[in-house]
Amino acid sequence: MNEVIKKSHLNSPTFSKSNKLMRLLWLFTYLIFFRFSPVPLFGYRRFILLMFGAKLQSGARIYPSVKIWLPSNLTMKTGSTLGARVNVYNQGRITICENAIISQDVSLCASTHDYNDATHPLLLSPIVIFNDVWVCAEAFIGPGVKLAVGSVVGARAAVVRNTDAWGVYAGNPATRVNDRQRHI
């Protein structure tokens, strides 16, 4: 016999109507004004994101093909870069500190679900990427991860745990494979 689960609470929205409206407005703005802007117009894209609540310092570079779920959950410091086609799935907050490079096609995912609960509630779990980090092409940075100062995440690595300072990580799941020379 299958147990019947009451489903009325499963249909309740996870996000407020104002959140959904803001994301709809952001999607419209992204498609019309952001996505097809010329690559060198980093200041223009910063301005648009600031209007949607992002916390960006001057000198932060965001490429036009970057997908950002909710700009107000994004913080970037001077010298940080979001490369081409980066997916910023920031239901939870994502902070990128100074001189961090997020290379093309990287996925940053700051949320997950509680798989032990039958309703699979959303769990927001912020990501912090500290100074001088380099996340190489097509890597995945999972919920709640902190990438320590100077660490490198190799191409296509999947990071699900915090890294150590000046470590080089590769694989799925990513493990420390080397030390990085301190260049600063």
Side-chain angles (χ1 to χ4, degrees):
M1 247 180 355
N2 291 337
E3 185 177 335
V4 177
I5 297 174
K6 188 175 180 181
K7 294 190 176 188
S8 63
H9 66 285
L10 297 177
N11 298 325
S12 63
T14 304
F15 296 100
S16 67
K17 287 181 184 178
S18 63
N19 177 285
K20 291 176 181 180
L21 181 61
M22 182 58 70
R23 286 188 288 124
L24 184 62
L25 183 58
W26 163 242
L27 178 62
F28 173 78
T29 304
Y30 171 79
L31 292 172
I32 301 299
F33 299 106
F34 189 98
R35 174 71 177 96
F36 298 104
S37 62
V39 171
L41 297 183
F42 296 111
Y44 168 77
R45 287 185 294 280
R46 269 195 316 272
F47 174 76
I48 292 172
L49 288 166
L50 288 167
M51 290 178 50
F52 280 86
K55 292 144 199 82
L56 307 174
Q57 291 182 349
S58 64
R61 294 177 300 273
I62 300 105
Y63 279 72
S65 56
V66 170
K67 289 192 287 185
I68 300 168
W69 193 80
L70 184 63
S72 62
N73 280 346
L74 177 64
T75 300
M76 291 178 69
K77 307 257 173 126
T78 300
S80 58
T81 300
L82 287 172
R85 299 173 308 280
V86 170
N87 183 18
V88 180
Y89 193 55
N90 58 341
Q91 291 176 318
R93 298 204 51 69
I94 293 179
T95 301
I96 303 170
C97 296
E98 293 182 8
N99 304 314
I101 298 170
I102 313 303
S103 295
Q104 67 273 14
D105 300 305
V106 166
S107 291
L108 306 173
C109 180
S111 60
T112 187
H113 295 273
D114 183 354
Y115 51 81
N116 289 315
D117 185 322
T119 64
H120 301 252
L122 182 67
L123 302 173
L124 304 180
S125 197
I127 293 172
V128 180
I129 299 171
F130 287 96
N131 294 352
D132 303 304
V133 167
W134 180 17
V135 180
C136 298
E138 298 183 2
F140 172 83
I141 309 302
V145 168
K146 291 183 172 102
L147 300 179
V149 171
S151 57
V152 174
V153 175
R156 294 197 169 183
V159 182
V160 295
R161 291 185 180 88
N162 296 345
T163 63
D164 297 324
W166 302 100
V168 178
Y169 291 79
N172 183 0
T175 57
R176 188 171 181 150
V177 296
N178 211 338
D179 295 326
R180 181 182 186 193
Q181 297 269 328
R182 295 179 191 218
H183 62 279
I184 54 174

